[in-house]
Amino acid sequence: VQAFDRPLELAPVARVYLNRASENRDIADFRGHVDYVVRYGAESGIVGELMYRRGRERRSTWQLDLSYPIRQRMFANAGGYVYLQLFEGYGESLLTYNQKSDLQVRLGIAIVR
């Protein structure tokens, strides 16, 4: 979908859990089975990506990623980018999938986006 000469992408990401270990049998309750992703922006400028996922019992997760190029791309999308991420919810890692993370703000440099 094109919106104001900037690509808008909508992408559901489905997840299936196979052979869950005894330590995380309830991971689907916290991470759910689908991530809904919306991405907007021009590759030569700011790109924003919003992800939402919902587990059982209203366990929801939000992640917002913003990136801006700070150098010319070398090939494909590899280059240098200033990167800002906001995260709140469940399932950030396998070790803490069942613990809710309060809002976290991260700023850094990325090689790809």
Side-chain angles (χ1 to χ4, degrees):
V1 175
Q2 287 287 96
F4 307 107
D5 293 328
R6 295 177 184 266
L8 175 65
E9 300 173 20
L10 306 171
V13 178
R15 182 178 299 109
V16 176
Y17 301 96
L18 303 174
N19 195 16
R20 290 178 267 181
S22 61
E23 296 86 29
N24 58 2
R25 286 195 184 279
D26 61 347
I27 193 167
D29 295 344
F30 293 89
R31 289 187 54 116
H33 291 279
V34 179
D35 291 356
Y36 300 96
V37 180
V38 177
R39 181 181 169 112
Y40 178 77
E43 290 299 320
S44 61
I46 293 178
V47 172
E49 184 173 297
L50 178 64
M51 182 276 299
Y52 172 75
R53 91 171 52 113
R54 184 170 179 161
R56 293 187 184 159
E57 299 177 20
R58 297 186 181 214
R59 296 179 177 125
S60 61
T61 299
W62 292 89
Q63 181 173 313
L64 174 65
D65 299 313
L66 297 172
S67 61
Y68 183 79
I70 54 176
R71 65 173 297 185
Q72 216 171 20
R73 291 184 295 183
M74 293 178 280
F75 54 90
N77 287 336
Y81 304 92
V82 174
Y83 189 82
L84 173 69
Q85 182 182 77
L86 285 76
F87 179 88
E88 181 177 32
Y90 295 90
E92 189 171 19
S93 76
L94 284 176
L95 294 175
T96 62
Y97 73 91
N98 58 356
Q99 300 169 19
K100 184 171 184 181
S101 296
D102 292 330
L103 179 63
Q104 299 185 24
V105 179
R106 300 174 179 120
L107 181 63
I109 303 294
I111 297 170
V112 295
R113 64 173 172 185

